[in-house]
Amino acid sequence: MPKQTFFNLPAEKRKKILDVAVKEFAEQGYKGANISRMVLEAGIAKGSFYQYFEDKDDLYLYIITTMIAGKKLAIYEREKGRLEDLSLTGFLRAVSHQIFQDFMENPGLLRIGADLMRLEGEPVYQKIMGCYPKLSESVFMPFIQHEIGQGEISEKVNPRLLNFIFISLGLYLAYDLKTTNAETIHEELVDRMLDDMEYILKNGIYTDKGKSM
Amino acid sequence: MPKQTFFNLPAEKRKKILDVAVKEFAEQGYKGANISRMVLEAGIAKGSFYQYFEDKDDLYLYIITTMIAGKKLAIYEREKGRLEDLSLTGFLRAVSHQIFQDFMENPGLLRIGADLMRLEGEPVYQKIMGCYPKLSESVFMPFIQHEIGQGEISEKVNPRLLNFIFISLGLYLAYDLKTTNAETIHEELVDRMLDDMEYILKNGIYTDKGKSM
Amino acid sequence: MPKQTFFNLPAEKRKKILDVAVKEFAEQGYKGANISRMVLEAGIAKGSFYQYFEDKDDLYLYIITTMIAGKKLAIYEREKGRLEDLSLTGFLRAVSHQIFQDFMENPGLLRIGADLMRLEGEPVYQKIMGCYPKLSESVFMPFIQHEIGQGEISEKVNPRLLNFIFISLGLYLAYDLKTTNAETIHEELVDRMLDDMEYILKNGIYTDKGKSM
Amino acid sequence: MPKQTFFNLPAEKRKKILDVAVKEFAEQGYKGANISRMVLEAGIAKGSFYQYFEDKDDLYLYIITTMIAGKKLAIYEREKGRLEDLSLTGFLRAVSHQIFQDFMENPGLLRIGADLMRLEGEPVYQKIMGCYPKLSESVFMPFIQHEIGQGEISEKVNPRLLNFIFISLGLYLAYDLKTTNAETIHEELVDRMLDDMEYILKNGIYTDKGKSM
DNA sequence: CATGAATGAGACTTCATTCAT
DNA sequence: TATGAATGAAGTCTCATTCAT
């Protein structure tokens, strides 16, 4: 947990530091993230960093738990009251909108989450799982379960697989961005992706001819 | 490219070294992979490593290009003759079988591939893309294009998205493995995943009720 | 180029580091120079070295260009205004005085310069020649050319050879020092050498008898 | 001292090994010389090297003492019988011819000799000086002393300085070669250098005008 | 609290030498 | 004797963390 000194900082500076850190962890991964680069980028002294955070892990843990888990839980908190009357499409749009928001604000957050998978054996992973044991399942699962319960998603759909596909959406955005050489993420790009995904989820991928083979 | 000395080694030792390296790169990522750990694990001297490989990058590149690209191209080479008469389901099974094979032989290979995305700005990434510029698109794309051309996959399906979903399958296996605490991968697990995926691809995820909302 | 941190150091410490480095490069040559030994001798941490300099080459280049080239150019700058009225003897004395100064302050500098010749094929040599392409000719040549133009040195004298002889003077001092087991260099030693050299340059080496043979 | 196995080799192979070694030591210096490169170049196995020589020093010492000292002593041995009637010019030519021979056969020998100066503090230097304490003075000195005794070289000439100038001739050739970008050493180049040097040794460098200033 | 230099463990890499075949 | 793989000490360089100002 960051030290009190960090929370005493003006909000703007705090945000700057976290933005830089998210970018660094996202682009370089946990292992490759470099504190010297971060403080340089954030415009603070190296010593200051250690007055704000215990160490590298402290910062990483804070980002993971507060920002990722926090954001994802935020969807749940916001939407759970509407679970009863939210149409499936609406749910997908809502969730995706949140993902899009994440991306616009912090394109790195999703990649950080993806990186987390790798750290299984590391001490830092144990620390994280000590706080958020179900971190990886905490996002879409409740919605999916709810839709199945409502009879809107077929019981034959494996919820874990579907959950994973949703999680992958963010990575797909990054992948798509890279392979199309788009400079920035336009909302349009996200919408197109959502349309594409919706089509598959609604119709599957086959033509009638394809289905009959 | 590894030096001749590496290829002069007994096949068993060569395999041991590559297995250890794949494990290391898979678990630690490119940045976190540690040569000291590898040579310790592989039971060779530090100096020997550098008689086999130019440097860390040389080994990494060899694994990426030969093992990953090599295997993936192997699917293509093996199946392309049958593209005409291969049913879609058959294609999916064939590809998945290959992925499964990869996983049984080297659970790390897929994670290494996933890690590659992160390295974009690094020199090693340039090296790889110098050899395999289309590495990320080279696997499933031809099949997908072919099926669309045959009118078996709907033209409304975004091939890039579908390609990405397929690529994610391997990651899903890893994810599933971890979250279910399965010790090893059973072929049964793969089959279940394939069944689950096929269901979605064929039917979408919605019930009639869900679709009509 | 050293980093700013190096120039922020107290002058005394900076001098200590450079003195140690010059000694190391002079005694061990570029290849044999050892950073661990340098930092031990200079009383700084290994890591500090790399906060001051990019790498070994950075330090070497700095010494070569700043100290050697710097000093040599200093002679030129100081004396060029007097080129018109400086007698040849005076010129030799001035130059030699500078060499002597170099030697008293940093006996290693001249040996470093001599070592440079060996590095021709090395990357570091290219770096140096990128900055100072005429480094080896930049010292005495202008004076010699001037004297020839003035008709004070015979046109039959090969200026390149003469330049080389002058350059060798410094090495001769080192050589003389070693072979006479003199502990330190006395100014007297330099004067004797200069007298000896002047004699040869003025009279040649032969007696009348010798010349007639 | 090389082991008996070395002397059992066919002369041609022995020569090849020594040629390669001289080249390596000359170009890279004692510290930079690399045994792997040598055996590669010489076309022998690494293990063989250590069956011919005790270690790197053993080879280096052998080259220094046998080839350099040997060659230089050879001049003396060959010419000393003619010391009585050898004209000064003849002496210079004879010596220079030998230097030229050295250069044509083994351009590296002279540079190795020059490199020796640097090694003063090293164990290998002690070894060498244990065998040839006067190595550096053994070449031209006897001739110079003789000429002075004959009254052909002025007594006012410092024999040590002259000795050094002669030693430098070889280095000058290398220097000249490098700065004129000549590809190979022509005999013509040596002759020109000798002519240039002779002029200076005979006439000094000054014009009458220059002398009178 | 802010600063940025200082620290040193540990990473990658080289290379003289040994050793098994 | 010939071979070339094996070895590990030692070198260069990185970077998280501490510390003096």
Side-chain angles (χ1 to χ4, degrees):
Chain A
M1 208 57 184
K3 302 178 185 175
Q4 186 54 43
T5 49
F6 178 65
F7 297 108
N8 293 345
L9 289 177
E12 194 180 354
K13 196 168 187 180
R14 228 160 48 219
K15 179 170 173 3
K16 175 73 174 171
I17 291 172
L18 290 178
D19 285 350
V20 165
V22 167
K23 187 167 180 293
E24 179 76 10
F25 279 117
E27 288 177 1
Q28 309 292 338
Y30 168 73
K31 290 253 175 79
N34 181 313
I35 288 178
S36 294
R37 247 191 327 247
M38 287 191 221
V39 299
L40 192 72
E41 192 79 13
I44 63 174
K46 192 97 71 84
S48 297
F49 180 90
Y50 287 89
Q51 279 186 318
Y52 303 151
F53 304 97
E54 291 293 342
D55 51 21
K56 191 183 181 182
D57 282 11
D58 190 27
L59 168 60
Y60 187 62
L61 233 126
Y62 182 66
I63 285 176
I64 293 285
T65 57
T66 304
M67 305 201 69
I68 297 200
K71 293 228 166 184
K72 296 198 162 174
L73 290 179
I75 316 177
Y76 183 77
E77 291 303 322
R78 180 153 42 72
E79 304 296 340
K80 77 177 169 190
R82 303 196 292 151
L83 274 178
E84 299 308 321
D85 54 276
L86 191 65
S87 80
L88 195 60
T89 303
F91 149 69
L92 181 61
R93 288 280 166 193
V95 164
S96 308
H97 183 69
Q98 180 64 44
I99 288 178
F100 171 68
Q101 290 286 56
D102 281 356
F103 234 127
M104 295 307 276
E105 289 171 19
N106 267 310
L109 281 181
L110 291 166
R111 297 179 71 175
I112 290 177
D115 184 46
L116 202 52
M117 278 171 53
R118 163 172 324 288
L119 299 176
E120 218 186 345
E122 302 293 322
V124 70
Y125 189 82
Q126 312 307 329
K127 290 189 203 169
I128 291 171
M129 287 308 148
C131 311
Y132 287 78
K134 298 264 177 185
L135 185 59
S136 54
E137 290 203 1
S138 61
V139 200
F140 303 98
M141 223 48 174
F143 295 93
I144 294 171
Q145 301 285 14
H146 178 264
E147 300 298 316
I148 291 176
Q150 293 299 98
E152 292 176 11
I153 291 182
S154 165
E155 287 190 330
K156 290 176 183 156
V157 167
N158 177 344
R160 296 172 54 76
L161 175 58
L162 187 56
N163 183 39
F164 186 76
I165 290 177
F166 281 138
I167 287 175
S168 301
L169 278 178
L171 293 176
Y172 176 66
L173 262 182
Y175 165 80
D176 204 46
L177 203 63
K178 215 171 300 170
T179 53
T180 56
N181 293 321
E183 283 300 307
T184 59
I185 299 180
H186 311 294
E187 186 144 12
E188 182 199 351
L189 202 67
V190 178
D191 279 332
R192 212 172 58 226
M193 178 195 75
L194 290 176
D195 289 341
D196 290 344
M197 180 60 86
E198 255 183 73
Y199 181 86
I200 292 179
L201 295 182
K202 250 191 186 147
N203 309 294
I205 64 172
Y206 300 126
T207 58
D208 288 339
K209 180 185 168 199
K211 269 185 206 167
S212 65
M213 290 181 78
Chain B
M1 209 56 185
K3 302 178 185 174
Q4 186 55 44
T5 50
F6 179 67
F7 298 107
N8 294 344
L9 288 179
E12 193 181 353
K13 194 168 187 178
R14 226 163 47 221
K15 181 170 173 1
K16 173 73 174 171
I17 291 172
L18 288 179
D19 286 349
V20 166
V22 167
K23 187 168 179 291
E24 180 76 9
F25 279 118
E27 288 177 1
Q28 309 292 338
Y30 169 73
K31 291 248 176 84
N34 180 312
I35 289 177
S36 296
R37 227 170 8 223
M38 286 191 222
V39 299
L40 193 72
E41 191 80 14
I44 63 174
K46 191 95 71 80
S48 297
F49 179 89
Y50 288 91
Q51 277 193 317
Y52 302 151
F53 305 98
E54 291 294 342
D55 51 22
K56 190 182 178 181
D57 280 13
D58 189 28
L59 168 59
Y60 187 64
L61 233 127
Y62 181 66
I63 286 176
I64 293 286
T65 57
T66 304
M67 306 199 70
I68 297 198
K71 294 225 164 185
K72 296 198 162 173
L73 290 178
I75 317 176
Y76 183 77
E77 291 303 321
R78 180 153 42 73
E79 305 296 340
K80 76 177 170 189
R82 302 195 293 152
L83 274 178
E84 298 307 320
D85 54 277
L86 191 65
S87 80
L88 195 60
T89 303
F91 148 69
L92 181 61
R93 288 281 165 191
V95 164
S96 307
H97 182 69
Q98 181 66 44
I99 287 178
F100 171 69
Q101 290 286 54
D102 281 356
F103 234 125
M104 294 308 276
E105 289 171 19
N106 269 310
L109 281 180
L110 292 165
R111 298 179 70 177
I112 291 176
D115 183 47
L116 202 53
M117 279 171 53
R118 166 175 318 290
L119 298 176
E120 217 187 345
E122 303 292 324
V124 71
Y125 188 84
Q126 313 306 329
K127 289 188 202 170
I128 291 170
M129 288 308 148
C131 311
Y132 287 78
K134 299 265 177 185
L135 185 59
S136 53
E137 291 204 359
S138 62
V139 200
F140 305 98
M141 225 46 174
F143 295 92
I144 293 171
Q145 303 284 15
H146 178 264
E147 302 298 316
I148 292 177
Q150 293 297 99
E152 293 175 11
I153 291 182
S154 166
E155 287 189 330
K156 290 175 183 157
V157 167
N158 177 344
R160 296 171 56 77
L161 175 58
L162 187 56
N163 183 39
F164 186 76
I165 289 177
F166 281 139
I167 286 175
S168 301
L169 279 179
L171 293 176
Y172 175 66
L173 264 181
Y175 165 80
D176 205 46
L177 202 63
K178 215 172 302 168
T179 53
T180 57
N181 293 320
E183 283 300 305
T184 59
I185 298 179
H186 311 293
E187 186 144 10
E188 181 199 352
L189 202 67
V190 179
D191 279 333
R192 212 173 57 225
M193 178 193 76
L194 291 176
D195 289 340
D196 291 344
M197 179 61 85
E198 255 183 74
Y199 180 85
I200 293 179
L201 294 182
K202 249 190 186 149
N203 309 294
I205 64 172
Y206 300 127
T207 58
D208 288 341
K209 181 186 168 198
K211 268 185 208 168
S212 65
M213 290 180 78
Chain C
M1 208 55 186
K3 301 178 185 174
Q4 186 55 42
T5 49
F6 179 67
F7 299 107
N8 293 345
L9 289 178
E12 194 181 353
K13 195 168 188 178
R14 227 163 46 222
K15 179 169 175 2
K16 173 75 175 171
I17 292 171
L18 289 178
D19 285 350
V20 166
V22 167
K23 186 167 178 292
E24 180 76 10
F25 279 118
E27 288 177 359
Q28 309 292 339
Y30 168 73
K31 291 245 177 88
N34 180 312
I35 289 177
S36 296
R37 227 172 6 226
M38 286 190 221
V39 299
L40 193 72
E41 191 79 16
I44 63 174
K46 189 96 69 83
S48 296
F49 179 89
Y50 288 91
Q51 278 193 318
Y52 303 151
F53 304 97
E54 291 294 342
D55 51 22
K56 189 182 178 180
D57 281 11
D58 189 29
L59 168 60
Y60 187 62
L61 234 127
Y62 181 65
I63 286 176
I64 292 286
T65 58
T66 304
M67 305 199 70
I68 297 198
K71 293 226 166 182
K72 296 198 162 172
L73 290 179
I75 316 176
Y76 183 77
E77 290 304 322
R78 180 152 44 71
E79 304 297 339
K80 77 177 170 189
R82 303 197 290 154
L83 274 178
E84 298 307 321
D85 55 274
L86 191 66
S87 79
L88 195 60
T89 303
F91 147 69
L92 181 62
R93 288 280 165 192
V95 164
S96 308
H97 183 69
Q98 181 65 45
I99 287 178
F100 171 67
Q101 290 286 54
D102 281 355
F103 234 125
M104 295 307 277
E105 289 171 19
N106 268 310
L109 281 180
L110 291 166
R111 298 178 70 175
I112 291 177
D115 183 45
L116 203 53
M117 277 171 56
R118 165 174 319 289
L119 299 176
E120 216 190 345
E122 304 291 324
V124 70
Y125 189 85
Q126 312 305 329
K127 290 188 201 170
I128 291 170
M129 289 308 148
C131 311
Y132 286 79
K134 300 263 178 185
L135 186 59
S136 54
E137 290 204 359
S138 62
V139 199
F140 305 98
M141 224 46 175
F143 295 93
I144 294 171
Q145 302 285 16
H146 178 264
E147 302 298 317
I148 292 177
Q150 294 297 99
E152 293 176 11
I153 291 181
S154 167
E155 287 188 331
K156 291 175 182 157
V157 166
N158 178 345
R160 296 171 55 77
L161 175 58
L162 187 56
N163 183 40
F164 186 77
I165 290 176
F166 282 140
I167 287 175
S168 302
L169 279 178
L171 292 176
Y172 176 66
L173 262 181
Y175 165 81
D176 205 47
L177 201 63
K178 215 170 302 167
T179 53
T180 55
N181 294 318
E183 282 301 305
T184 59
I185 299 178
H186 313 292
E187 185 141 13
E188 181 199 352
L189 202 65
V190 179
D191 278 334
R192 210 173 59 225
M193 178 194 76
L194 291 175
D195 289 340
D196 291 343
M197 179 62 84
E198 255 184 75
Y199 181 85
I200 293 179
L201 294 182
K202 251 191 185 149
N203 307 295
I205 64 171
Y206 301 126
T207 58
D208 288 341
K209 180 186 169 199
K211 268 185 207 167
S212 65
M213 290 181 77
Chain D
M1 208 55 184
K3 302 177 184 174
Q4 185 55 43
T5 50
F6 179 66
F7 297 107
N8 293 345
L9 288 177
E12 195 181 351
K13 195 168 186 179
R14 231 164 41 223
K15 179 170 173 359
K16 175 73 174 171
I17 291 171
L18 290 178
D19 284 351
V20 166
V22 167
K23 188 169 178 291
E24 180 75 11
F25 280 117
E27 288 178 0
Q28 309 293 338
Y30 169 73
K31 291 249 176 83
N34 180 313
I35 288 178
S36 294
R37 242 185 337 240
M38 287 191 220
V39 298
L40 191 73
E41 192 79 16
I44 63 173
K46 191 98 72 83
S48 297
F49 180 90
Y50 286 90
Q51 279 186 319
Y52 303 150
F53 304 97
E54 290 294 341
D55 52 21
K56 191 182 179 181
D57 281 13
D58 189 27
L59 167 60
Y60 187 63
L61 233 126
Y62 182 65
I63 286 176
I64 292 287
T65 56
T66 305
M67 306 200 69
I68 297 199
K71 292 228 166 183
K72 297 198 161 173
L73 290 178
I75 316 175
Y76 183 78
E77 292 303 321
R78 180 153 43 72
E79 304 295 341
K80 77 177 172 189
R82 301 198 293 152
L83 274 178
E84 299 309 319
D85 54 275
L86 191 65
S87 80
L88 195 57
T89 303
F91 148 69
L92 181 61
R93 288 281 166 191
V95 164
S96 307
H97 183 69
Q98 180 65 44
I99 286 178
F100 171 68
Q101 290 286 55
D102 281 356
F103 236 126
M104 293 308 276
E105 289 171 19
N106 269 309
L109 282 180
L110 291 166
R111 297 178 71 175
I112 291 177
D115 183 46
L116 202 53
M117 277 171 54
R118 163 172 323 289
L119 298 176
E120 217 186 346
E122 301 293 321
V124 71
Y125 188 84
Q126 312 307 328
K127 291 187 202 170
I128 292 170
M129 288 308 148
C131 312
Y132 287 78
K134 298 264 178 185
L135 185 58
S136 54
E137 289 204 1
S138 61
V139 200
F140 304 98
M141 224 46 175
F143 295 92
I144 293 171
Q145 301 286 14
H146 178 264
E147 300 298 315
I148 291 177
Q150 294 297 99
E152 292 176 12
I153 291 181
S154 165
E155 289 189 329
K156 291 177 183 157
V157 167
N158 177 344
R160 297 171 54 78
L161 175 58
L162 187 56
N163 183 38
F164 186 76
I165 289 177
F166 281 139
I167 287 175
S168 300
L169 277 179
L171 294 176
Y172 176 66
L173 261 183
Y175 165 81
D176 204 47
L177 203 62
K178 214 171 303 170
T179 53
T180 56
N181 294 319
E183 284 299 305
T184 58
I185 300 179
H186 312 293
E187 185 142 13
E188 182 200 350
L189 202 67
V190 179
D191 278 333
R192 211 173 57 226
M193 179 194 75
L194 291 176
D195 288 340
D196 290 343
M197 179 60 86
E198 256 185 72
Y199 181 86
I200 292 180
L201 295 182
K202 249 189 187 150
N203 309 294
I205 64 172
Y206 300 126
T207 59
D208 288 342
K209 180 185 167 199
K211 270 185 205 167
S212 67
M213 289 181 78

